[in-house]
Short mmCIF file of all heavy atoms in Angstrom, two decimals:
data_model
loop_
_atom_site.label_atom_id
_atom_site.label_comp_id
_atom_site.label_asym_id
_atom_site.label_seq_id
_atom_site.Cartn_x
_atom_site.Cartn_y
_atom_site.Cartn_z
N ALA A 501 203.41 -128.81 174.58
CA ALA A 501 202.45 -129.88 174.29
C ALA A 501 203.00 -131.17 174.61
O ALA A 501 202.19 -132.02 175.07
CB ALA A 501 202.11 -129.66 172.77
N CYS A 502 204.15 -131.42 174.30
CA CYS A 502 204.71 -132.81 174.50
C CYS A 502 204.95 -133.01 176.11
O CYS A 502 205.05 -134.23 176.48
CB CYS A 502 206.15 -132.94 173.79
SG CYS A 502 205.92 -133.10 172.05
N LEU A 503 204.90 -132.09 176.98
CA LEU A 503 205.06 -132.31 178.34
C LEU A 503 203.80 -133.03 178.78
O LEU A 503 203.89 -133.82 179.77
CB LEU A 503 205.30 -131.00 179.16
CG LEU A 503 206.66 -130.37 179.03
CD1 LEU A 503 206.60 -128.97 179.79
CD2 LEU A 503 207.71 -131.35 179.64
N SER A 504 202.60 -132.73 178.19
CA SER A 504 201.40 -133.50 178.62
C SER A 504 201.15 -134.82 177.93
O SER A 504 200.35 -135.54 178.37
CB SER A 504 200.25 -132.43 178.50
OG SER A 504 200.05 -132.22 177.03
N MET A 505 201.93 -135.06 177.00
CA MET A 505 201.81 -136.36 176.17
C MET A 505 202.85 -137.42 176.65
O MET A 505 203.85 -136.98 177.25
CB MET A 505 202.00 -136.04 174.72
CG MET A 505 200.90 -135.22 174.12
SD MET A 505 201.22 -135.17 172.28
CE MET A 505 200.12 -133.84 171.84
N PRO A 506 202.46 -138.64 176.28
CA PRO A 506 203.65 -139.66 176.65
C PRO A 506 204.81 -139.47 175.80
O PRO A 506 204.76 -138.91 174.69
CB PRO A 506 202.78 -140.95 176.31
CG PRO A 506 201.68 -140.66 175.60
CD PRO A 506 201.35 -139.26 175.83
N MET A 507 205.95 -139.78 176.47
CA MET A 507 207.23 -139.57 175.64
C MET A 507 207.38 -140.40 174.45
O MET A 507 208.02 -140.13 173.56
CB MET A 507 208.43 -139.81 176.62
CG MET A 507 208.58 -138.85 177.77
SD MET A 507 209.98 -139.31 178.85
CE MET A 507 211.31 -138.61 178.07
N SER A 508 206.68 -141.54 174.50
CA SER A 508 206.76 -142.50 173.24
C SER A 508 205.85 -142.14 172.16
O SER A 508 205.80 -142.93 171.15
CB SER A 508 206.63 -143.94 173.77
OG SER A 508 205.25 -144.04 174.37
N GLY A 509 205.00 -141.08 172.31
CA GLY A 509 204.18 -140.75 171.29
C GLY A 509 204.93 -140.27 170.00
O GLY A 509 205.90 -139.69 170.12
N PRO A 510 204.25 -140.60 168.86
CA PRO A 510 204.93 -140.40 167.51
C PRO A 510 205.22 -138.84 167.26
O PRO A 510 206.10 -138.53 166.61
CB PRO A 510 204.00 -141.11 166.40
CG PRO A 510 202.71 -141.21 167.17
CD PRO A 510 202.91 -141.27 168.58
N ALA A 511 204.18 -138.02 167.81
CA ALA A 511 204.54 -136.67 167.61
C ALA A 511 205.60 -136.00 168.35
O ALA A 511 206.20 -134.96 167.85
CB ALA A 511 203.12 -135.89 167.71
N CYS A 512 205.82 -136.58 169.50
CA CYS A 512 206.92 -136.01 170.33
C CYS A 512 208.17 -136.76 170.39
O CYS A 512 209.27 -136.21 170.99
CB CYS A 512 206.28 -135.97 171.77
SG CYS A 512 204.88 -134.92 172.07
N ARG A 513 208.31 -137.71 169.64
CA ARG A 513 209.53 -138.66 169.68
C ARG A 513 210.81 -137.80 169.23
O ARG A 513 211.77 -137.87 169.84
CB ARG A 513 209.36 -139.85 168.73
CG ARG A 513 210.66 -140.63 168.64
CD ARG A 513 210.51 -142.02 168.18
NE ARG A 513 210.11 -142.83 169.27
CZ ARG A 513 209.48 -143.96 169.15
NH1 ARG A 513 209.05 -144.27 168.08
NH2 ARG A 513 209.21 -144.73 170.22
N PRO A 514 210.73 -137.02 168.15
CA PRO A 514 211.80 -136.23 167.65
C PRO A 514 212.27 -135.25 168.75
O PRO A 514 213.51 -134.95 168.97
CB PRO A 514 211.41 -135.61 166.40
CG PRO A 514 210.27 -136.32 165.89
CD PRO A 514 209.55 -136.83 167.07
N LEU A 515 211.38 -134.51 169.50
CA LEU A 515 211.67 -133.62 170.44
C LEU A 515 212.39 -134.31 171.64
O LEU A 515 213.40 -133.91 171.99
CB LEU A 515 210.59 -132.85 171.03
CG LEU A 515 210.77 -131.95 172.08
CD1 LEU A 515 211.53 -130.68 171.61
CD2 LEU A 515 209.49 -131.67 172.81
N TRP A 516 211.96 -135.45 171.99
CA TRP A 516 212.57 -136.10 173.16
C TRP A 516 213.82 -136.77 172.75
O TRP A 516 214.61 -136.81 173.82
CB TRP A 516 211.54 -137.10 173.75
CG TRP A 516 210.39 -136.48 174.53
CD1 TRP A 516 209.06 -136.64 174.21
CD2 TRP A 516 210.49 -135.58 175.51
NE1 TRP A 516 208.34 -135.73 175.08
CE2 TRP A 516 209.06 -135.15 175.87
CE3 TRP A 516 211.46 -134.99 176.28
CZ2 TRP A 516 208.75 -134.15 176.86
CZ3 TRP A 516 211.09 -134.05 177.21
CH2 TRP A 516 209.86 -133.65 177.53
N GLU A 517 213.95 -137.18 171.55
CA GLU A 517 215.23 -137.69 171.15
C GLU A 517 216.39 -136.57 171.20
O GLU A 517 217.39 -136.70 171.67
CB GLU A 517 215.14 -138.26 169.71
CG GLU A 517 214.59 -139.72 169.77
CD GLU A 517 214.47 -140.30 168.31
OE1 GLU A 517 214.81 -139.42 167.38
OE2 GLU A 517 214.04 -141.37 168.16
N ALA A 518 215.91 -135.31 170.77
CA ALA A 518 216.80 -134.21 170.76
C ALA A 518 217.21 -133.89 172.24
O ALA A 518 218.44 -133.59 172.60
CB ALA A 518 216.31 -133.01 170.10
N VAL A 519 216.20 -133.93 173.02
CA VAL A 519 216.49 -133.67 174.46
C VAL A 519 217.37 -134.73 175.19
O VAL A 519 218.30 -134.44 175.79
CB VAL A 519 215.10 -133.62 175.25
CG1 VAL A 519 215.36 -133.53 176.77
CG2 VAL A 519 214.38 -132.35 174.84
N MET A 520 217.13 -135.97 174.77
CA MET A 520 218.00 -137.08 175.29
C MET A 520 219.41 -136.96 174.84
O MET A 520 220.39 -137.05 175.59
CB MET A 520 217.36 -138.43 174.81
CG MET A 520 218.15 -139.62 175.35
SD MET A 520 217.47 -141.16 174.59
CE MET A 520 217.86 -140.85 172.81
N TYR A 521 219.54 -136.78 173.49
CA TYR A 521 220.91 -136.59 172.88
C TYR A 521 221.70 -135.45 173.51
O TYR A 521 222.85 -135.47 173.86
CB TYR A 521 220.90 -136.65 171.45
CG TYR A 521 220.55 -137.88 170.95
CD1 TYR A 521 219.66 -137.97 169.79
CD2 TYR A 521 221.15 -139.10 171.34
CE1 TYR A 521 219.30 -139.17 169.27
CE2 TYR A 521 220.75 -140.36 170.76
CZ TYR A 521 219.74 -140.33 169.78
OH TYR A 521 219.39 -141.64 169.19
N THR A 522 221.08 -134.24 173.69
CA THR A 522 221.63 -133.24 174.18
C THR A 522 221.98 -133.32 175.74
O THR A 522 222.97 -133.01 176.13
CB THR A 522 220.60 -131.97 174.15
OG1 THR A 522 220.30 -131.76 172.85
CG2 THR A 522 221.20 -130.69 174.67
N SER A 523 221.19 -133.82 176.34
CA SER A 523 221.44 -134.28 177.82
C SER A 523 222.60 -135.19 177.93
O SER A 523 223.50 -135.01 178.87
CB SER A 523 220.11 -134.88 178.59
OG SER A 523 219.12 -134.01 178.54
N ALA A 524 222.69 -136.29 177.18
CA ALA A 524 223.77 -137.22 177.16
C ALA A 524 225.02 -136.53 176.81
O ALA A 524 226.04 -136.77 177.47
CB ALA A 524 223.43 -138.40 176.17
N ALA A 525 224.99 -135.64 175.75
CA ALA A 525 226.26 -134.94 175.42
C ALA A 525 226.81 -134.00 176.55
O ALA A 525 227.89 -133.91 176.77
CB ALA A 525 226.00 -134.23 173.99
N PHE A 526 225.75 -133.44 177.14
CA PHE A 526 226.17 -132.49 178.34
C PHE A 526 226.67 -133.21 179.36
O PHE A 526 227.65 -132.88 180.05
CB PHE A 526 224.93 -131.65 178.69
CG PHE A 526 225.08 -130.67 179.80
CD1 PHE A 526 225.93 -129.48 179.67
CD2 PHE A 526 224.70 -131.09 181.20
CE1 PHE A 526 226.22 -128.66 180.66
CE2 PHE A 526 225.08 -130.15 182.19
CZ PHE A 526 225.84 -128.95 181.92
N GLY A 527 226.09 -134.36 179.80
CA GLY A 527 226.65 -135.31 180.80
C GLY A 527 228.05 -135.77 180.48
O GLY A 527 228.86 -135.85 181.33
N LEU A 528 228.20 -136.10 179.22
CA LEU A 528 229.49 -136.58 178.90
C LEU A 528 230.55 -135.49 179.02
O LEU A 528 231.61 -135.79 179.47
CB LEU A 528 229.58 -137.17 177.39
CG LEU A 528 230.81 -137.68 176.87
CD1 LEU A 528 231.23 -138.87 177.56
CD2 LEU A 528 230.70 -137.98 175.33
N VAL A 529 230.15 -134.34 178.59
CA VAL A 529 231.11 -133.18 178.65
C VAL A 529 231.45 -132.91 180.18
O VAL A 529 232.66 -132.67 180.58
CB VAL A 529 230.69 -131.85 178.07
CG1 VAL A 529 231.33 -130.74 178.36
CG2 VAL A 529 230.60 -132.07 176.54
N VAL A 530 230.47 -132.90 181.01
CA VAL A 530 230.62 -132.59 182.50
C VAL A 530 231.47 -133.74 183.01
O VAL A 530 232.55 -133.47 183.90
CB VAL A 530 229.41 -132.58 183.30
CG1 VAL A 530 229.48 -132.49 184.65
CG2 VAL A 530 228.69 -131.28 182.77
N THR A 531 231.39 -135.07 182.65
CA THR A 531 232.01 -136.28 183.13
C THR A 531 233.58 -136.10 182.64
O THR A 531 234.49 -136.25 183.52
CB THR A 531 231.48 -137.56 182.63
OG1 THR A 531 230.05 -137.56 183.19
CG2 THR A 531 232.25 -138.67 183.22
N LEU A 532 233.76 -135.75 181.43
CA LEU A 532 235.12 -135.58 181.08
C LEU A 532 235.76 -134.48 181.70
O LEU A 532 237.06 -134.55 181.97
CB LEU A 532 235.25 -135.44 179.39
CG LEU A 532 234.85 -136.69 178.55
CD1 LEU A 532 234.72 -136.23 177.14
CD2 LEU A 532 235.77 -137.72 178.78
N TRP A 533 235.15 -133.34 181.90
CA TRP A 533 235.73 -132.20 182.54
C TRP A 533 236.15 -132.54 184.02
O TRP A 533 237.20 -132.39 184.54
CB TRP A 533 234.78 -130.97 182.62
CG TRP A 533 235.30 -129.94 183.38
CD1 TRP A 533 236.14 -128.90 183.10
CD2 TRP A 533 234.93 -129.64 184.76
NE1 TRP A 533 236.34 -128.04 184.10
CE2 TRP A 533 235.65 -128.40 185.09
CE3 TRP A 533 234.05 -130.19 185.59
CZ2 TRP A 533 235.42 -127.83 186.35
CZ3 TRP A 533 233.99 -129.57 186.92
CH2 TRP A 533 234.65 -128.43 187.30
N ALA A 534 235.33 -133.27 184.68
CA ALA A 534 235.52 -133.89 186.11
C ALA A 534 236.74 -134.81 186.14
O ALA A 534 237.58 -134.55 186.97
CB ALA A 534 234.20 -134.35 186.69
N ALA A 535 236.76 -135.70 185.19
CA ALA A 535 237.80 -136.64 184.95
C ALA A 535 239.13 -135.84 184.92
O ALA A 535 240.27 -136.16 185.33
CB ALA A 535 237.64 -137.59 184.02
N TRP A 536 239.17 -134.88 183.93
CA TRP A 536 240.28 -134.09 183.67
C TRP A 536 240.81 -133.34 184.87
O TRP A 536 242.08 -133.31 185.16
CB TRP A 536 239.99 -133.15 182.55
CG TRP A 536 241.15 -132.24 182.20
CD1 TRP A 536 241.50 -131.03 182.64
CD2 TRP A 536 242.13 -132.65 181.21
NE1 TRP A 536 242.62 -130.59 181.98
CE2 TRP A 536 243.16 -131.50 181.20
CE3 TRP A 536 242.42 -133.64 180.41
CZ2 TRP A 536 244.17 -131.43 180.44
CZ3 TRP A 536 243.48 -133.62 179.59
CH2 TRP A 536 244.41 -132.51 179.56
#
């Protein structure tokens, strides 16, 4: 349902925040692994 709505909509904000934080954490892990 949130795929068809704007990301800034109040009903979808918690979902997109979770997606954003998960993506950021995954990107950080991949970056740290590559640096290692």
Side-chain angles (χ1 to χ4, degrees):
C502 285
L503 284 177
S504 61
M505 293 184 192
M507 291 178 78
S508 60
C512 296
R513 176 167 276 154
L515 174 72
W516 291 121
E517 283 181 356
V519 168
M520 180 184 63
Y521 291 134
T522 303
S523 299
F526 182 73
L528 180 64
V529 167
V530 168
T531 302
L532 290 174
W533 175 81
W536 181 267

